[in-house]
Structure formats: structure tokens, C-alpha cells
Amino acid sequence: MRIVTLLSLIIMATTFVKAQGKNYPETVVSVDIESTLSPKETFEYIVPIPLEHIFQPYKNIPGIDSTSNKEPWYRSGMRRTVYFDDGTSSEETLLSVTPHTGFTYKVNGFTNSLKGLIKQINGSWTFTETEVGKIHIRWTYQFVPKNFFARLLIHTIVKKRMKTPMTNALTKMKDELESGNLYRYERSVGNW
């Protein structure tokens, strides 16, 4: 058994050394939902929503305790630190905001176990009107691995675990929007 463990560690270390400077295929997780509201209402509610309101702990994925931003999250170039309820954190940068149709951001600077696996996560949201008068919302995380071994772990473990909290968060926002029982922001909403 010790020989198998030692061989596994050697293979992992060799893979890591060879991986330096190489790019590996990303792992993508997407969740979708439809709503009866307009793109404007949906977009303006979702973009600046406080993360601690929608991200609860799930299995070994911590919930979000708070963020460092003091103003609404709605303008390209904005940065914030995300604090998880296990004491770890990550950094987010809002890359683009196209009113009522979508926004993109990146997450990096992890202080938890993801720091050894992921270079960054590219996040994107799209809001598209359907032919039947509804809005289709798609939220995508693209995990950029640090090496081949990391890609394997992300693809087999992280991908499966992330889909549930993402679906729960999206469903919560949809339910609040459609019921009219909106979460009241302590920060003012952006001016689109």
C-alpha cells in the first residue's frame, strides 16, 4: 500500500511540474431558469444582490458571510473581497456589465483549498427574452485549473458540488422576484 501511495505522489508531483506554463481545458458548470418578469426587473435585482443572502453552505462548500464592497455591485472594474463563513476568502472583479442582457466577472485569490486547484473562475450571467414572453437566465462558472490533476478533481468533485448551491441561489432570486417578496438591499441599487 505504501508503494502505491508513493507512486501516486510521484505521478502527481510530475504532473504538477510538467503543468507549469501549460493551459488545461476548463470545466464549465451552468444553471438555467425561466422567469415571467422583464429582463430589466430581473437584471436590476440580480446584479447587485448581496452574496450572503443567496449563498448558503452546502456539503463541504462554505456559505458566504459578507463582502467588502460598500456600494452596489454594478459597474465594470469594481472589485471586492468575498468572505466565507469558514474564515476563508476570495477576490472578485466585475469585468463587464451590459444592462439588462448580461454581466461577467472573475473570481481568484482563493485562501481556501481551491488555491491549489484553480487559477480563477470566470463567471457569466445572461438574460434573454424567449419567444413566449419569458426571460431565460443562464449562470455559468468556468473553472480554470492549475494543472491536469487539478482539472480531474474539479471535473469529478467540484463540478457536481457547485451545481446545487448555484441552482439554489438562482431559484431563491427567481422566487423572490416573482412573489414580489424582494430582499431589501442595505445598499442602494445602481442606475442603469
Side-chain angles (χ1 to χ4, degrees):
M1 185 65 169
R2 288 183 187 175
I3 292 174
V4 171
T5 303
L6 182 59
L7 286 174
S8 295
L9 289 172
I10 291 170
I11 291 169
M12 287 172 23
T14 304
T15 302
F16 180 75
V17 169
K18 289 180 180 177
Q20 302 304 312
K22 293 187 178 181
N23 290 324
Y24 292 92
E26 291 91 12
T27 297
V28 176
V29 179
S30 286
V31 292
D32 300 86
I33 204 163
E34 285 195 352
S35 173
T36 56
L37 298 172
S38 75
K40 181 179 185 328
E41 291 172 293
T42 307
F43 181 88
E44 290 185 5
Y45 185 67
I46 289 176
V47 177
I49 200 160
L51 298 181
E52 59 271 19
H53 175 64
I54 59 170
F55 270 113
Q56 305 303 313
Y58 176 74
K59 294 192 177 182
N60 65 342
I61 298 173
I64 293 179
D65 180 62
S66 61
T67 60
S68 65
N69 57 308
K70 301 298 182 219
E71 61 181 310
W73 182 250
Y74 71 96
R75 194 175 54 248
S76 297
M78 294 183 84
R79 295 173 183 253
R80 65 183 173 191
T81 301
V82 177
Y83 301 100
F84 298 98
D85 61 12
D86 67 353
T88 61
S89 64
S90 66
E91 300 296 322
E92 279 189 351
T93 304
L94 195 51
L95 300 175
S96 68
V97 179
T98 306
H100 313 134
T101 59
F103 66 99
T104 62
Y105 57 99
K106 72 176 177 179
V107 185
N108 58 11
F110 300 98
T111 64
N112 57 21
S113 59
L114 293 179
K115 70 181 173 187
L117 299 176
I118 297 173
K119 289 181 187 177
Q120 73 182 40
I121 298 172
N122 299 315
S124 67
W125 288 72
T126 57
F127 303 82
T128 311
E129 285 189 87
T130 68
E131 294 173 2
V132 293
K134 293 185 177 183
I135 181 168
H136 180 257
I137 306 164
R138 171 170 281 174
W139 179 12
T140 302
Y141 270 167
Q142 179 185 40
F143 295 89
V144 181
K146 286 194 170 183
N147 57 55
F148 178 79
F149 180 70
R151 181 183 183 274
L152 183 64
L153 287 175
I154 293 165
H155 193 73
T156 57
I157 298 170
V158 177
K159 181 178 180 177
K160 292 176 186 172
R161 294 260 168 99
M162 278 308 297
K163 198 159 185 100
T164 299
M166 288 171 71
T167 300
N168 292 345
L170 188 55
T171 301
K172 182 174 188 166
M173 289 182 282
K174 174 191 183 272
D175 291 347
E176 290 173 352
L177 278 161
E178 291 183 352
S179 71
N181 186 19
L182 302 179
Y183 179 79
R184 300 292 172 209
Y185 299 116
E186 291 181 21
R187 307 169 192 131
S188 59
V189 177
N191 181 15
W192 285 284

